[in-house]
Amino acid sequence: MAQAPATATLTNPLADGPPAVGAKLQALRQARKLSLDELSRRAGVSKSMLSQVERNLANPTVAVLWRLATALGVGLADFLSPEAAADAAPTVTVIPAHSIPVIKSPDGKCELKILGPVELAARFEWYELAIQPGGVLASEPHEAGTKEHLSVLSGTVTVQSGPSEKKVRHGESARYPGDVQHAISNAGKTVATALLVVESAQ
């Protein structure tokens, strides 16, 4: 492993203050769920120094930054890049249940909740499917090469794709061409639910 520079000091990009690496260090540490004590132990840097660096109260040497980057599993250049903090701490987006779009068949016996984001629709679409007893979700052929993946969460359904027809029970999955006429039906006496993924041709 290459040795860290011993005494070099990071050039200050601002004329009147320490390098603004504090927010990046904090974001990287928190993204990895590390306490100041744990990072201090891994990097061999005192907890007080870490606290000062995170608050931009200390001007760290390149040797200190190198040890921190190594302990955090990133390169020194990545650690210092403007995007480092944003990349290290992605946000969690929660879609409220009432905001999830729902499609219903004309007879009201089939319901599809659109779970996938719009930006992925050209490649993948996924749905939560619920079919009432006697319901049939029939589809015309999609574009050539399209495939569907159906995982039954409860009940039993019948999947028909072209001339092929199979029963799919709770806990089972079916994979079949979606570029021919196909249908999913429920001949049982209880509601059947499933996760449906539509994979478009690449």
Side-chain angles (χ1 to χ4, degrees):
M1 179 181 291
Q3 296 296 314
T7 59
T9 300
L10 182 70
T11 302
N12 183 4
L14 302 177
D16 56 353
V21 299
K24 298 170 190 175
L25 172 60
Q26 187 177 64
L28 286 163
R29 177 176 64 79
Q30 292 178 348
R32 287 154 179 77
K33 296 181 172 57
L34 295 176
S35 65
L36 284 171
D37 285 329
E38 178 63 16
L39 181 56
S40 171
R41 185 187 66 78
R42 291 188 183 189
V45 177
S46 71
K47 180 180 176 180
S48 61
M49 170 61 77
L50 288 178
S51 178
Q52 289 179 8
V53 172
E54 285 196 357
R55 290 180 291 157
N56 286 324
L57 298 178
N59 188 8
T61 64
V62 172
V64 168
L65 290 176
W66 183 87
R67 289 198 292 270
L68 291 173
T70 300
L72 292 165
V74 298
L76 187 58
D78 295 330
F79 183 77
L80 296 174
S81 68
E83 296 80 13
D87 290 346
T91 58
V92 176
T93 302
V94 176
I95 312 300
H98 64 81
S99 297
I100 296 176
V102 176
I103 301 172
K104 290 190 176 182
S105 61
D107 63 3
K109 291 187 176 182
C110 302
E111 180 180 276
L112 283 166
K113 291 183 179 179
I114 304 174
L115 303 181
V118 174
E119 58 268 26
L120 291 182
R123 296 173 52 207
F124 295 100
E125 302 170 31
W126 61 96
Y127 307 88
E128 181 182 325
L129 170 63
I131 306 179
Q132 300 291 331
V136 179
L137 182 66
S139 301
E140 292 296 316
H142 303 310
E143 66 177 297
T146 299
K147 297 178 181 178
E148 292 193 359
H149 310 269
L150 183 81
S151 297
V152 177
L153 304 177
S154 66
T156 298
V157 300
T158 298
V159 174
Q160 176 262 323
S161 176
S164 178
E165 184 175 292
K166 298 283 186 179
K167 281 191 175 181
V168 190
R169 296 172 176 81
H170 170 224
E172 297 180 334
S173 294
R175 311 188 194 284
Y176 51 91
D179 54 3
V180 296
Q181 284 191 329
H182 53 287
I184 306 166
S185 59
N186 179 8
K189 296 181 180 180
T190 60
V191 178
T193 62
L195 180 66
L196 174 63
V197 177
V198 180
E199 176 188 359
S200 299
Q202 297 298 309

